[in-house]
Amino acid sequence: MTTTFSQICPVFFKEHASCQTGEKAKEFHGTKAFCVCDKGIFDCGIADKIIASLEEAGIETKLYDGVLPDAPDTMIDSAANIARNFDADIVIGIGGGSSLDAAKSISVLLDNPG
């Protein structure tokens, strides 16, 4: 049996996009954002700009900055549990491939525990 899975996961990018993340999250009716990145993105301050934009838009946030390269399933499960306990209704990946892949996986696990 073949099964098809679809997921809404837009990638928002342009100059100063980080400052508009709150507006974009509101378009998706986000009220509690679980932000996902790795330590490098956190350390360089990019996540701070995005979190500030979200909070300015009235969206409560929780940051997970423990993404590892080629994120293992145990890390994804752990982060998804944190997001569920936070009652996140939107997941925002910040950074590159592993962070975006982790955010997509976490968002699936919010309603479908692994």
Side-chain angles (χ1 to χ4, degrees):
M1 172 183 208
T2 302
T3 302
T4 301
F5 172 78
S6 298
Q7 180 181 28
I8 297 173
C9 52
V11 177
F12 179 59
F13 63 97
K14 68 177 188 174
E15 187 174 8
H16 306 295
S18 60
C19 299
Q20 298 171 354
T21 307
E23 295 170 32
K24 283 297 190 184
K26 285 187 98 63
E27 288 176 17
F28 289 97
H29 308 288
T31 61
K32 294 185 86 173
F34 188 67
C35 298
V36 178
C37 69
D38 61 31
K39 293 282 187 207
I41 290 294
F42 176 76
D43 289 345
C44 73
I46 294 171
D48 291 336
K49 291 179 185 178
I50 290 173
I51 289 169
S53 176
L54 290 163
E55 290 177 346
E56 190 173 296
I59 298 171
E60 189 177 347
T61 64
K62 184 161 190 77
L63 175 68
Y64 178 84
D65 64 356
V67 173
L68 302 171
D70 299 319
D73 60 343
T74 53
M75 189 225 77
I76 298 293
D77 283 337
S78 175
N81 282 330
I82 295 167
R84 274 193 297 276
N85 289 334
F86 175 63
D87 291 325
D89 56 16
I90 190 167
V91 179
I92 298 175
I94 306 169
S98 290
S99 293
L100 298 182
D101 290 346
K104 289 185 281 187
S105 298
I106 292 164
S107 70
V108 169
L109 291 176
L110 282 180
D111 296 324
N112 304 287

